[in-house]
Amino acid sequence: MSSSLISNPVTNTDRSRDPSKRRKKKKAQLKQQLEEQNIKWKSPAQQQIYSSKLHQALARVNLGSSGSSAGDAPRRGKAVREAADRVLAVTAKGKTRWSRAILTNRLKLKFRKHKRQRITAAAASPARSKKPRVSVLRLRGKSLPTVQRKVRFLGRLVPGCRKQPVPVILEEAIDYISALEMQVRAMSTLADLLSGSTTPGAGSSSSAPPS
Amino acid sequence: MSSRRSSRSRQASGSRNITDDQINDLVSKLQQLLPEIRDRRSDKVSAAKVLQETCNYIRSLHREVDDLSERLSELLATTDTAQAAIIRNLLMQ
């Protein structure tokens, strides 16, 4: 079972050159690329790649925390979440902005601060921070049109898309949603497998492990 | 809306090349991804509603991932390496 789906490279540089001719070609390419990406995230092969990589990463996380006292459930849960996001970004092969932003965020924080607690706290916030930026917008006298405002808000939810123009945010959001859905599917499958194997006789595990 | 958009000094100069068609295209794609709007089968969904549903959907997906990772972290603490090897084989198939 090989996942040999080739997606077109993003032709962002063509935007500045010949607008009329390139725009029609780019529009067709954009549609095709989005559809391919959508199909890519829904394919079971992709999910298997993600599941196996996730499993390896989680095994490493477990080894790290089992040495110390395993009493901090929130820290372990966050570590799992971070590992899941990182593996998701790696599975995306860095073609989208949000995947690159996730990977560079972790690197930046690791090099800047040495304490692990800061990393887990700060890495969770850029994706979901609700900074009071709306007040700055209102100071301008007129508020932006509704669609603009909502797109900006959406840009804060998707990692790495805060200062991007509107169509970029929409593209990234489309891919990000498909990727998140795949992440949820893979993680729930994994959780079911794990919980199914601990209760004997239930679930889909065929062979009983020798204790 | 395009006139208002071009008068904003905040936008980059490249925003004038972006057509409304492109934006509508992307919004309709987004609409097809959202489960609630897709099931309702109405073409008259406004862009603002699509975007609002997108934000809510992404947030709910984030919450689901958080819950799943909590569950996984608890489960991983209890399984041992033999079972992990079995699971890996199951995943590879």
Side-chain angles (χ1 to χ4, degrees):
Chain A
M1 205 178 293
S2 61
S3 63
S4 58
L5 290 168
I6 307 171
S7 60
N8 284 334
V10 178
T11 55
N12 267 333
T13 57
D14 284 343
R15 201 178 282 180
S16 53
R17 273 188 228 155
D18 198 7
S20 56
K21 204 184 289 186
R22 298 281 182 174
R23 203 181 302 155
K24 286 186 191 158
K25 210 190 279 187
K26 182 181 165 270
K27 212 174 170 182
Q29 267 180 353
L30 174 66
K31 247 190 194 171
Q32 194 183 0
Q33 174 199 337
L34 281 177
E35 279 171 15
E36 281 181 355
Q37 277 178 352
N38 201 16
I39 294 172
K40 174 182 98 147
W41 285 117
K42 289 216 167 103
S43 69
Q46 189 72 265
Q47 192 168 330
Q48 278 184 354
I49 294 175
Y50 177 72
S51 304
S52 51
K53 284 201 182 139
L54 178 65
H55 194 71
Q56 290 169 14
L58 287 178
R60 258 181 283 144
V61 167
N62 204 25
L63 285 177
S65 68
S66 65
S68 56
S69 70
D72 324 29
R75 199 172 64 184
R76 245 185 312 138
K78 283 214 174 69
V80 170
R81 164 97 205 255
E82 276 178 29
D85 285 342
R86 202 173 358 124
V87 177
L88 189 66
V90 167
T91 312
K93 295 202 185 92
K95 287 203 181 112
T96 49
R97 276 200 183 79
W98 59 263
S99 56
R100 293 196 287 265
I102 289 182
L103 293 174
T104 51
N105 254 353
R106 310 280 187 238
L107 277 180
K108 255 190 245 170
L109 290 166
K110 241 186 217 177
F111 282 136
R112 233 184 262 166
K113 313 202 194 243
H114 295 289
K115 300 190 183 155
R116 278 289 168 92
Q117 290 102 3
R118 294 269 193 109
I119 291 175
T120 54
S125 59
R128 261 177 280 127
S129 71
K130 300 223 179 12
K131 289 192 185 144
R133 213 173 268 197
V134 184
S135 59
V136 176
L137 288 178
R138 287 222 191 100
L139 283 176
R140 289 173 164 272
K142 298 185 211 177
S143 67
L144 295 178
T146 318
V147 173
Q148 287 278 6
R149 216 175 341 130
K150 294 212 187 284
V151 170
R152 292 284 157 203
F153 195 71
L154 186 60
R156 287 209 294 264
L157 279 178
V158 179
C161 290
R162 276 215 199 139
K163 293 186 187 162
Q164 307 290 335
V166 167
V168 171
I169 295 184
L170 291 177
E171 279 178 46
E172 293 286 318
I174 290 173
D175 193 53
Y176 190 54
I177 289 182
S178 307
L180 277 182
E181 283 176 352
M182 189 213 74
Q183 188 180 20
V184 163
R185 277 198 301 267
M187 285 174 77
S188 54
T189 309
L190 192 55
D192 285 342
L193 269 177
L194 280 177
S195 58
S197 67
T198 50
T199 62
S204 55
S205 57
S206 46
S207 57
S211 69
Chain B
M1 195 157 73
S2 56
S3 60
R4 242 190 276 174
R5 199 185 297 145
S6 58
S7 68
R8 293 283 167 216
S9 58
R10 232 184 125 201
Q11 295 287 336
S13 63
S15 70
R16 291 199 193 115
N17 296 334
I18 300 167
T19 59
D20 275 340
D21 284 353
Q22 221 170 330
I23 305 258
N24 284 336
D25 209 17
L26 290 170
V27 169
S28 65
K29 279 220 173 50
L30 212 43
Q31 187 176 332
Q32 286 164 17
L33 281 179
L34 300 175
E36 293 136 15
I37 300 186
R38 189 181 51 201
D39 294 338
R40 242 183 269 170
R41 276 293 293 144
S42 64
D43 287 334
K44 304 182 196 91
V45 187
S46 71
K49 187 156 167 64
V50 169
L51 291 173
Q52 184 65 42
E53 291 295 324
T54 308
C55 292
N56 297 339
Y57 190 52
I58 289 185
R59 268 193 291 227
S60 73
L61 282 177
H62 277 160
R63 251 177 292 146
E64 250 187 275
V65 170
D66 275 339
D67 292 340
L68 279 173
S69 48
E70 286 285 338
R71 218 175 120 195
L72 272 180
S73 70
E74 288 168 18
L75 284 173
L76 277 178
T78 54
T79 50
D80 59 355
T81 51
Q83 288 175 338
I86 294 175
I87 290 165
R88 192 166 297 144
N89 288 337
L90 280 173
L91 285 174
M92 289 302 180
Q93 287 163 11

Coordinates of all heavy atoms in Angstrom, one line a residue, chain A residues 89-146:
Chain A
A89 N 2.5 17.9 11.6 CA 3.2 18.9 10.7 C 4.2 18.1 9.9 O 4.4 18.5 8.7 CB 3.9 19.9 11.6
V90 N 4.8 17.1 10.5 CA 5.8 16.4 9.7 C 5.1 15.6 8.6 O 5.6 15.6 7.4 CB 6.6 15.4 10.6 CG1 7.4 14.4 9.8 CG2 7.5 16.2 11.5
T91 N 4.0 15.1 8.9 CA 3.3 14.3 7.8 C 2.8 15.3 6.7 O 2.7 14.8 5.5 CB 2.0 13.7 8.4 OG1 2.4 13.0 9.6 CG2 1.4 12.7 7.5
A92 N 2.6 16.5 7.0 CA 2.3 17.5 5.9 C 3.4 17.8 5.0 O 3.3 18.5 4.0 CB 1.7 18.8 6.6
K93 N 4.6 17.3 5.4 CA 5.8 17.5 4.6 C 6.2 19.0 4.4 O 6.9 19.3 3.5 CB 5.7 16.8 3.2 CG 5.6 15.3 3.4 CD 6.0 14.7 2.0 CE 5.7 13.2 2.1 NZ 4.4 12.8 1.6
G94 N 5.7 19.8 5.3 CA 6.1 21.2 5.2 C 5.7 22.0 4.0 O 6.2 23.0 3.7
K95 N 4.6 21.5 3.4 CA 4.2 22.3 2.2 C 3.2 23.4 2.5 O 3.0 24.3 1.7 CB 3.4 21.3 1.2 CG 4.4 20.4 0.6 CD 3.8 19.9 -0.7 CE 4.8 18.9 -1.3 NZ 4.3 17.5 -1.3
T96 N 2.7 23.4 3.7 CA 1.8 24.4 4.1 C 2.4 25.3 5.2 O 3.3 24.9 5.9 CB 0.5 23.8 4.6 OG1 0.8 22.8 5.6 CG2 -0.3 23.2 3.5
R97 N 1.8 26.5 5.3 CA 2.4 27.4 6.3 C 2.2 26.9 7.7 O 3.1 27.1 8.6 CB 1.7 28.8 6.2 CG 2.4 29.6 5.1 CD 2.1 31.0 5.2 NE 2.7 31.7 4.1 CZ 2.1 31.7 2.9 NH1 1.0 31.2 2.7 NH2 2.8 32.3 1.9
W98 N 1.0 26.4 8.0 CA 0.8 26.0 9.4 C 1.7 24.9 9.9 O 2.2 24.9 11.0 CB -0.7 25.6 9.6 CG -1.2 24.5 8.8 CD1 -1.9 24.5 7.7 CD2 -1.1 23.1 9.1 NE1 -2.2 23.3 7.2 CE2 -1.7 22.4 8.1 CE3 -0.5 22.4 10.2 CZ2 -1.8 21.0 8.1 CZ3 -0.5 21.0 10.2 CH2 -1.2 20.4 9.2
S99 N 2.0 24.0 9.0 CA 2.9 22.9 9.4 C 4.3 23.5 9.7 O 5.0 23.2 10.7 CB 3.0 21.9 8.3 OG 3.4 22.4 7.1
R100 N 4.8 24.4 8.8 CA 6.1 25.0 9.0 C 6.1 25.8 10.3 O 7.0 25.8 11.1 CB 6.5 25.9 7.9 CG 6.7 25.1 6.6 CD 7.5 25.9 5.6 NE 6.6 26.9 5.0 CZ 5.9 26.8 3.9 NH1 6.0 25.7 3.2 NH2 5.2 27.8 3.5
A101 N 5.0 26.5 10.6 CA 4.9 27.3 11.8 C 5.0 26.5 13.0 O 5.6 26.8 14.0 CB 3.6 28.2 11.8
I102 N 4.3 25.3 13.0 CA 4.3 24.4 14.2 C 5.7 24.0 14.4 O 6.2 24.0 15.5 CB 3.4 23.2 13.9 CG1 1.9 23.6 14.0 CG2 3.6 22.2 15.0 CD1 1.0 22.5 13.8
L103 N 6.4 23.6 13.4 CA 7.7 23.0 13.6 C 8.7 24.1 14.0 O 9.5 23.9 14.9 CB 8.2 22.4 12.3 CG 7.4 21.1 11.9 CD1 7.8 20.6 10.5 CD2 7.6 20.0 12.9
T104 N 8.6 25.3 13.4 CA 9.6 26.3 13.8 C 9.3 26.9 15.2 O 10.2 27.3 15.9 CB 9.6 27.5 12.8 OG1 8.3 27.9 12.6 CG2 10.2 27.0 11.5
N105 N 8.0 26.8 15.5 CA 7.6 27.3 16.9 C 8.3 26.5 18.0 O 8.9 27.0 18.9 CB 6.1 27.2 17.1 CG 5.5 28.6 17.0 OD1 6.2 29.6 16.9 ND2 4.2 28.7 17.0
R106 N 8.3 25.1 17.8 CA 8.9 24.3 18.8 C 10.4 24.5 18.9 O 10.9 24.6 19.9 CB 8.7 22.8 18.4 CG 7.2 22.5 18.1 CD 6.4 22.3 19.4 NE 5.1 21.8 19.0 CZ 4.0 22.5 19.3 NH1 4.0 23.6 20.0 NH2 2.8 22.0 18.9
L107 N 11.0 24.7 17.7 CA 12.5 24.9 17.7 C 12.8 26.2 18.4 O 13.7 26.2 19.2 CB 13.0 24.9 16.2 CG 13.2 23.5 15.6 CD1 13.7 23.6 14.2 CD2 14.2 22.7 16.5
K108 N 12.1 27.2 18.0 CA 12.4 28.5 18.6 C 12.3 28.5 20.1 O 13.2 29.0 20.8 CB 11.4 29.6 18.0 CG 12.0 30.5 17.0 CD 11.0 31.6 16.7 CE 10.5 31.5 15.3 NZ 9.4 32.4 15.0
L109 N 11.2 27.9 20.6 CA 11.0 27.9 22.0 C 12.1 27.1 22.7 O 12.5 27.4 23.8 CB 9.6 27.5 22.4 CG 8.6 28.5 21.9 CD1 7.2 27.9 22.0 CD2 8.6 29.7 22.9
K110 N 12.4 26.0 22.1 CA 13.4 25.1 22.7 C 14.8 25.8 22.8 O 15.5 25.6 23.8 CB 13.6 23.8 21.9 CG 13.2 22.6 22.6 CD 13.5 21.3 21.9 CE 12.4 20.4 22.1 NZ 12.5 19.1 21.4
F111 N 15.1 26.6 21.8 CA 16.4 27.2 21.9 C 16.4 28.4 22.8 O 17.4 28.8 23.4 CB 16.9 27.6 20.5 CG 17.4 26.5 19.7 CD1 17.1 26.3 18.4 CD2 18.3 25.5 20.3 CE1 17.6 25.2 17.7 CE2 18.7 24.5 19.6 CZ 18.4 24.3 18.3
R112 N 15.3 29.1 22.9 CA 15.3 30.3 23.6 C 15.2 30.0 25.1 O 16.0 30.6 25.9 CB 14.0 31.1 23.2 CG 14.4 32.5 22.8 CD 13.2 33.3 22.6 NE 13.0 33.4 21.1 CZ 11.8 33.8 20.6 NH1 10.9 34.1 21.4 NH2 11.7 33.9 19.3
K113 N 14.3 29.2 25.5 CA 14.1 29.0 27.0 C 14.5 27.5 27.3 O 14.2 26.6 26.5 CB 12.7 29.2 27.4 CG 12.2 30.5 26.8 CD 11.0 31.0 27.6 CE 10.4 32.1 26.7 NZ 10.4 33.4 27.3
H114 N 15.2 27.3 28.4 CA 15.6 26.0 28.7 C 14.6 25.2 29.5 O 14.7 24.0 29.6 CB 16.9 26.1 29.4 CG 18.0 26.6 28.6 ND1 18.6 25.9 27.6 CD2 18.6 27.8 28.6 CE1 19.5 26.7 27.0 NE2 19.5 27.8 27.6
K115 N 13.7 25.9 30.2 CA 12.8 25.2 31.1 C 11.7 24.6 30.3 O 11.1 25.2 29.4 CB 12.2 26.2 32.1 CG 13.2 26.8 32.9 CD 12.6 27.6 34.0 CE 13.8 28.3 34.7 NZ 13.4 29.5 35.5
R116 N 11.3 23.4 30.6 CA 10.3 22.6 29.9 C 8.9 23.2 30.1 O 8.1 23.1 29.3 CB 10.3 21.2 30.2 CG 11.4 20.4 29.5 CD 11.0 20.2 28.1 NE 12.1 19.7 27.3 CZ 12.3 18.4 27.1 NH1 11.5 17.5 27.6 NH2 13.4 18.0 26.4
Q117 N 8.7 23.7 31.3 CA 7.3 24.2 31.7 C 7.0 25.3 30.8 O 5.9 25.5 30.3 CB 7.2 24.6 33.1 CG 7.3 23.4 34.1 CD 8.7 23.3 34.7 OE1 9.5 24.2 34.4 NE2 8.9 22.3 35.5
R118 N 8.0 26.2 30.5 CA 7.7 27.4 29.7 C 7.3 26.9 28.3 O 6.5 27.5 27.6 CB 8.9 28.2 29.6 CG 9.3 28.9 30.9 CD 8.6 30.2 31.1 NE 9.3 31.0 32.2 CZ 10.0 32.0 32.0 NH1 10.2 32.5 30.8 NH2 10.6 32.6 33.0
I119 N 8.0 25.8 27.8 CA 7.7 25.4 26.4 C 6.3 24.9 26.3 O 5.6 25.2 25.4 CB 8.7 24.3 26.0 CG1 10.1 24.8 25.9 CG2 8.3 23.6 24.7 CD1 11.2 23.8 25.7
T120 N 5.9 24.1 27.3 CA 4.5 23.5 27.2 C 3.5 24.6 27.3 O 2.5 24.6 26.6 CB 4.3 22.4 28.2 OG1 4.6 23.0 29.5 CG2 5.2 21.2 28.0
A121 N 3.8 25.6 28.1 CA 2.7 26.6 28.3 C 2.7 27.5 27.1 O 1.7 27.9 26.6 CB 3.0 27.4 29.5
A122 N 3.9 27.9 26.6 CA 3.9 28.9 25.5 C 3.6 28.3 24.2 O 3.1 29.0 23.3 CB 5.3 29.6 25.5
A123 N 3.9 27.0 24.0 CA 3.6 26.4 22.7 C 2.1 26.2 22.5 O 1.7 26.2 21.4 CB 4.3 25.1 22.6
A124 N 1.4 26.1 23.6 CA 0.0 25.9 23.4 C -0.7 27.2 23.1 O -1.8 27.3 22.6 CB -0.6 25.3 24.7
S125 N -0.1 28.3 23.6 CA -0.8 29.6 23.4 C -0.9 30.2 22.0 O -1.9 30.8 21.7 CB -0.3 30.6 24.4 OG 1.1 30.8 24.2
P126 N 0.2 30.1 21.2 CA 0.1 30.8 19.9 C -1.0 30.3 19.1 O -1.6 31.0 18.3 CB 1.4 30.5 19.2 CG 2.3 30.2 20.3 CD 1.5 29.5 21.4
A127 N -1.4 29.0 19.2 CA -2.5 28.5 18.4 C -3.8 29.0 18.9 O -4.8 29.1 18.2 CB -2.4 27.0 18.3
R128 N -3.9 29.3 20.2 CA -5.3 29.5 20.7 C -5.3 30.8 21.5 O -6.2 31.0 22.3 CB -5.7 28.4 21.6 CG -6.5 27.4 20.8 CD -6.9 26.2 21.7 NE -5.8 25.2 21.7 CZ -5.3 24.8 22.8 NH1 -5.6 25.2 24.0 NH2 -4.3 23.9 22.8
S129 N -4.4 31.7 21.4 CA -4.4 32.9 22.3 C -5.5 33.9 21.8 O -5.7 34.1 20.7 CB -3.1 33.6 22.2 OG -2.9 34.2 21.0
K130 N -6.2 34.4 22.8 CA -7.2 35.4 22.5 C -6.7 36.7 22.9 O -7.3 37.3 23.8 CB -8.5 35.0 23.2 CG -9.0 33.7 22.8 CD -10.5 33.7 22.6 CE -11.1 32.4 22.1 NZ -10.5 31.2 22.2
K131 N -5.7 37.2 22.3 CA -5.1 38.5 22.7 C -6.1 39.6 22.3 O -6.8 39.5 21.4 CB -3.8 38.7 22.0 CG -2.7 37.8 22.5 CD -1.3 38.2 22.0 CE -0.3 37.1 22.4 NZ 0.7 36.9 21.4
P132 N -6.0 40.7 23.1 CA -7.0 41.8 22.9 C -6.7 42.6 21.7 O -6.4 43.8 21.7 CB -7.0 42.6 24.2 CG -5.6 42.3 24.7 CD -5.3 40.9 24.3
R133 N -6.6 42.0 20.5 CA -6.3 42.7 19.3 C -7.5 43.4 18.8 O -7.4 44.3 18.0 CB -5.7 41.8 18.3 CG -4.6 42.4 17.4 CD -4.0 41.4 16.6 NE -2.8 40.9 17.2 CZ -1.9 40.3 16.5 NH1 -2.0 40.1 15.2 NH2 -0.8 39.8 17.1
V134 N -8.7 43.0 19.2 CA -9.9 43.6 18.6 C -10.0 45.0 19.1 O -10.5 45.8 18.4 CB -11.1 42.7 19.1 CG1 -12.4 43.3 18.5 CG2 -10.9 41.3 18.7
S135 N -9.5 45.3 20.3 CA -9.6 46.7 20.7 C -8.7 47.6 19.9 O -9.1 48.7 19.6 CB -9.1 46.8 22.2 OG -7.8 46.3 22.3
V136 N -7.6 47.1 19.4 CA -6.8 48.0 18.5 C -7.5 48.2 17.2 O -7.5 49.3 16.6 CB -5.5 47.3 18.2 CG1 -4.6 48.0 17.2 CG2 -4.7 47.1 19.5
L137 N -8.3 47.3 16.7 CA -9.0 47.5 15.5 C -10.1 48.5 15.7 O -10.3 49.3 14.8 CB -9.6 46.2 15.0 CG -8.7 45.1 14.5 CD1 -9.4 43.9 14.1 CD2 -8.0 45.6 13.2
R138 N -10.7 48.5 16.8 CA -11.8 49.4 17.0 C -11.4 50.9 17.2 O -12.1 51.8 16.9 CB -12.6 49.0 18.3 CG -13.4 47.8 18.1 CD -14.8 47.9 18.7 NE -15.4 46.6 18.6 CZ -15.5 45.8 19.7 NH1 -14.9 46.2 20.8 NH2 -16.0 44.6 19.5
L139 N -10.1 51.1 17.5 CA -9.6 52.4 17.7 C -9.5 53.1 16.4 O -9.4 54.4 16.3 CB -8.2 52.4 18.3 CG -8.2 52.1 19.8 CD1 -6.7 52.0 20.3 CD2 -8.9 53.2 20.5
R140 N -9.6 52.4 15.3 CA -9.5 53.0 14.0 C -10.7 53.8 13.6 O -10.7 54.5 12.6 CB -9.3 52.0 12.9 CG -7.9 51.4 13.0 CD -7.7 50.2 12.1 NE -6.3 49.9 12.0 CZ -5.6 50.5 11.0 NH1 -6.0 51.3 10.2 NH2 -4.3 50.2 11.0
G141 N -11.7 53.8 14.4 CA -12.9 54.6 14.0 C -13.9 53.7 13.3 O -15.1 53.7 13.7
K142 N -13.5 53.1 12.2 CA -14.5 52.2 11.6 C -14.0 50.8 11.8 O -12.8 50.5 11.8 CB -14.4 52.4 10.0 CG -14.8 53.7 9.6 CD -14.8 53.7 8.1 CE -14.4 55.1 7.5 NZ -14.3 55.1 6.1
S143 N -14.9 49.9 12.0 CA -14.5 48.5 12.2 C -14.4 47.9 10.8 O -15.1 48.3 9.8 CB -15.5 47.7 13.0 OG -16.7 47.6 12.3
L144 N -13.6 46.9 10.6 CA -13.5 46.2 9.3 C -14.8 45.5 9.0 O -15.5 45.2 9.9 CB -12.3 45.2 9.4 CG -10.9 45.8 9.6 CD1 -9.9 44.7 9.7 CD2 -10.6 46.7 8.5
P145 N -15.0 45.3 7.7 CA -16.2 44.6 7.4 C -16.2 43.2 8.0 O -15.2 42.6 8.3 CB -16.1 44.5 5.8 CG -14.9 45.1 5.4 CD -14.3 45.9 6.6
T146 N -17.4 42.7 8.2 CA -17.6 41.5 9.0 C -16.7 40.3 8.5 O -16.1 39.6 9.2 CB -19.1 41.0 8.9 OG1 -19.9 42.2 9.0 CG2 -19.4 40.1 10.0

